[in-house]
Amino acid sequence: EAEAAAEAEAAATEAETADALAAALAAQQAGTADAEPDGLGADEYADSEPRVAASEAASTGETRAQQLPGMASILNAEIERGLQLSDLRCADGTARPCSEDSYLLTPRGVGVQVTEDGGLILTPVDQQPFRVGETGQLVPRGSYTAAAQQAAEGAAPDADALDEADSSEAEVVTETVEATRSSAQDFETRIADAIRRAGEQQQPAASSSSDRNRDLARAALVGLGAFAVGQALSNNREVALNTGDRVIVNRPDGTQEVLKDDNTLLRQPGATVQTENFSDGSSRTTVTREDGSRVITIRGADLAVLRRVHIAADGTETTLIDETVPVEPVRVADLPAAPAQPAAQPSATDEAALRAALQREAQITRGFTLNQVRTIPEVRNLVAPIDIDAITFDTASAAITPDQARSLATLGTVIQDAIRRNPREIFLVEGHTDAVGSATFNLALSDRRAESVALALTEYFDVPPENLIVQGYGEEYLKIQTPYAERENRRASVRRITDLLASTR
């Protein structure tokens, strides 16, 4: 009983001290404090330094509330150091959940209340840009940093972090699209410049080589939209090639990655594009079409698509991509065997065969993220690709002539019908090259070829571009195994990946 009484007395004293600290911080936040907190002497106030981050003046006993950082600053610092919801305790010393007339206190003395929607209200009631994540982590509002970081680590980003970014903190760019690249246009000048620049980068290193790489990235990424160049080149990634609309970076493991704007397909003439660029490089782009429909795409600082939603003119919402859906890491050994490849690819004009091939369901019991589908071949191969044999490309070209585009009519009809029946259908268009030339250049070229096919499907056959994802794989998957020029290797293919994505299953 004596021990219990002592503990109760200690808890009451701690609660009283906590209340005094929180009140002092609240007064300071409101700009009204210039005296020591009531009920807390200067020496005791100085001793509380680990909780309230008192200034150096604490050692002289002159610490006053007005000299302390604001509550939001202290809370933000705690969050950056990994503050968890479990670290908060009731200010009145009782066990959680706290009583209705109490509030939570952080280890460093900031009083907060957690609202029903996960927001944090500082004491006194003064809404601040912080929120509670699904797993109890505290994250700042105003950007998609937390979601992007979780996606980069292979975890499902917090859905709320995507919805609650504060637009008032963003740089907003609005434009009306007048003209865009068509599937028939090539990029000879940019390619030539890219080859020249790549050659310069491969020469003996000069003192400015690192700066040149970053300048090339910056020049290209300005055209891609908001992007944190430092983020793009972090983790020892360096620019290998810049084609003006794509940047190829080297990963530490020796592989390469394409950085590009996945919203390019959505930029149709007559559309209004509003992009909110946040300070961390993340962005939210809203494409409003002439018919009143909208497509909203949220991207992380690495340009990865975190969410894409189509909103019809009548207000009907369709989620197309959502990387916040919880997904387990991929263990290739645990994946089912890939389906047997058909003895022959369906003809480009055989509608029944194309329809059957693209509608074949994947025999899997789990879903994957879009990034997993794009980057792990064993995952992609759970659905068979359909080679678009009606189109092959000229050397170093990504252009599709109108005559070639007409050969996509049957494929366009099949894809359009599938999306009409299920607006959540997602198709991956893949680009390939032969083995002639550098692997870096071929990776950029193949990605551009995939984009050309997707553009042709949209331009000629009204396939909704938001349901298409493009990805180049360079010379990695040769159809004809030869190191020489081979037209059949300069091709594109398509897969229906709806069954693979966790967000569309």
Side-chain angles (χ1 to χ4, degrees):
E1 291 177 353
E3 289 177 353
E7 289 177 359
E9 182 178 358
T13 301
E14 183 181 25
E16 182 179 357
T17 300
D19 287 341
L21 287 172
L25 288 169
Q28 186 274 329
Q29 181 77 1
T32 60
D34 38 72
E36 295 163 2
D38 292 338
L40 193 65
D43 291 339
E44 293 175 279
Y45 198 75
D47 290 340
S48 69
E49 185 271 336
R51 291 206 290 175
V52 298
S55 65
E56 294 180 359
S59 61
T60 66
E62 298 175 353
T63 303
R64 296 179 184 273
Q66 65 178 12
Q67 295 173 306
L68 297 176
M71 289 190 298
S73 299
I74 296 174
L75 181 56
N76 197 27
E78 291 186 90
I79 289 173
E80 289 178 355
R81 285 192 294 271
L83 183 67
Q84 302 287 312
L85 184 60
S86 58
D87 297 330
L88 305 180
R89 58 185 175 80
C90 299
D92 61 5
T94 61
R96 292 176 57 190
C98 305
S99 59
E100 293 183 1
D101 56 352
S102 182
Y103 56 89
L104 295 169
L105 200 69
T106 73
R108 301 185 72 178
V110 180
V112 300
Q113 295 176 352
V114 181
T115 63
E116 291 183 358
D117 65 351
L120 297 185
I121 299 178
L122 303 192
T123 305
V125 178
D126 180 15
Q127 183 67 52
Q128 295 293 335
F130 305 101
R131 50 173 302 283
V132 180
E134 288 182 343
T135 59
Q137 80 280 14
L138 304 185
V139 296
R141 298 180 190 266
S143 72
Y144 303 112
T145 306
Q149 180 63 32
Q150 289 170 315
E153 294 173 352
D158 185 355
D160 292 338
L162 299 183
D163 294 330
E164 298 180 1
D166 185 356
S167 299
S168 66
E169 300 181 10
E171 173 194 9
V172 180
V173 178
T174 303
E175 61 176 314
T176 299
V177 180
E178 297 181 356
T180 58
R181 169 190 173 247
S182 74
S183 58
Q185 292 176 322
D186 218 326
F187 56 149
E188 295 89 346
T189 301
R190 288 182 173 182
I191 286 293
D193 290 343
I195 293 173
R196 173 181 57 76
R197 288 194 295 267
E200 291 174 354
Q201 294 178 42
Q202 292 170 1
Q203 292 180 7
S207 60
S208 62
S209 62
S210 177
D211 292 338
R212 182 187 299 115
N213 281 350
R214 291 180 180 274
D215 288 344
L216 290 175
R218 185 174 290 106
L221 296 175
V222 165
L224 298 179
F227 190 91
V229 175
Q231 174 81 9
L233 302 181
S234 63
N235 301 321
N236 297 319
R237 296 194 298 180
E238 62 178 14
V239 175
L241 182 65
N242 164 24
T243 68
D245 63 350
R246 281 163 176 75
V247 172
I248 309 299
V249 296
N250 295 325
R251 296 192 186 101
D253 62 2
T255 61
Q256 294 185 319
E257 177 183 2
V258 182
L259 302 178
K260 44 99 180 288
D261 184 1
D262 270 310
N263 286 328
T264 297
L265 294 179
L266 305 178
R267 301 174 61 85
Q268 302 296 316
T272 299
V273 180
Q274 176 180 285
T275 300
E276 300 163 74
N277 297 321
F278 296 94
S279 60
D280 64 345
S282 59
S283 64
R284 174 170 51 204
T285 300
T286 302
V287 177
T288 304
R289 295 168 175 156
E290 293 179 319
D291 64 359
S293 63
R294 291 177 293 153
V295 179
I296 301 174
T297 304
I298 295 172
R299 297 181 299 177
D302 59 354
L303 288 180
V305 176
L306 299 177
R307 180 179 289 178
R308 174 171 289 167
V309 178
H310 175 267
I311 304 177
D314 63 2
T316 302
E317 293 191 15
T318 302
T319 299
L320 300 170
I321 299 170
D322 188 353
E323 298 289 80
T324 71
V325 176
V327 172
E328 297 177 358
V330 174
R331 285 176 49 88
V332 173
D334 295 339
L335 295 176
Q341 294 289 335
Q345 288 282 332
S347 168
T349 59
D350 189 338
E351 182 174 337
L354 280 174
R355 197 179 299 277
L358 285 176
Q359 291 299 319
R360 191 174 296 118
E361 294 185 359
Q363 301 302 310
I364 55 175
T365 57
R366 57 158 293 176
F368 305 89
T369 68
L370 176 60
N371 185 60
Q372 289 171 339
V373 173
R374 275 177 147 168
T375 60
I376 304 176
E378 291 82 0
V379 172
R380 282 196 310 281
N381 288 335
L382 292 175
V383 294
I386 304 299
D387 284 337
I388 306 175
D389 54 8
I391 293 179
T392 54
F393 296 88
D394 292 336
T395 298
S397 173
I400 296 176
T401 67
D403 286 341
Q404 286 181 311
R406 280 191 283 272
S407 66
L408 294 173
T410 304
L411 178 63
T413 298
V414 170
I415 293 179
Q416 189 183 54
D417 287 348
I419 296 173
R420 187 180 297 112
R421 290 193 303 271
N422 177 14
R424 302 183 71 192
E425 294 280 11
I426 300 293
F427 294 86
L428 176 66
V429 183
E430 305 171 12
H432 304 276
T433 70
D434 58 26
V436 177
S438 75
T440 301
F441 171 77
N442 284 340
L443 181 56
L445 178 61
S446 66
D447 200 70
R448 187 69 178 244
R449 285 173 173 169
E451 182 181 282
S452 293
V453 171
L455 285 171
L457 290 170
T458 296
E459 294 165 4
Y460 292 92
F461 310 108
D462 296 326
V463 172
E466 60 269 21
N467 296 77
L468 302 177
I469 299 294
V470 301
Q471 185 68 49
Y473 294 102
E475 59 189 61
E476 190 172 359
Y477 305 106
L478 299 175
K479 187 175 182 179
I480 307 297
Q481 295 296 321
T482 174
Y484 302 108
E486 174 56 59
R487 192 172 189 92
E488 286 194 51
N489 286 330
R490 303 194 293 270
R491 72 198 193 281
S493 55
V494 63
R495 301 179 204 246
R496 174 181 170 270
I497 61 172
T498 312
D499 293 341
L500 298 183
L501 296 176
S503 59
T504 54
R505 286 175 58 83

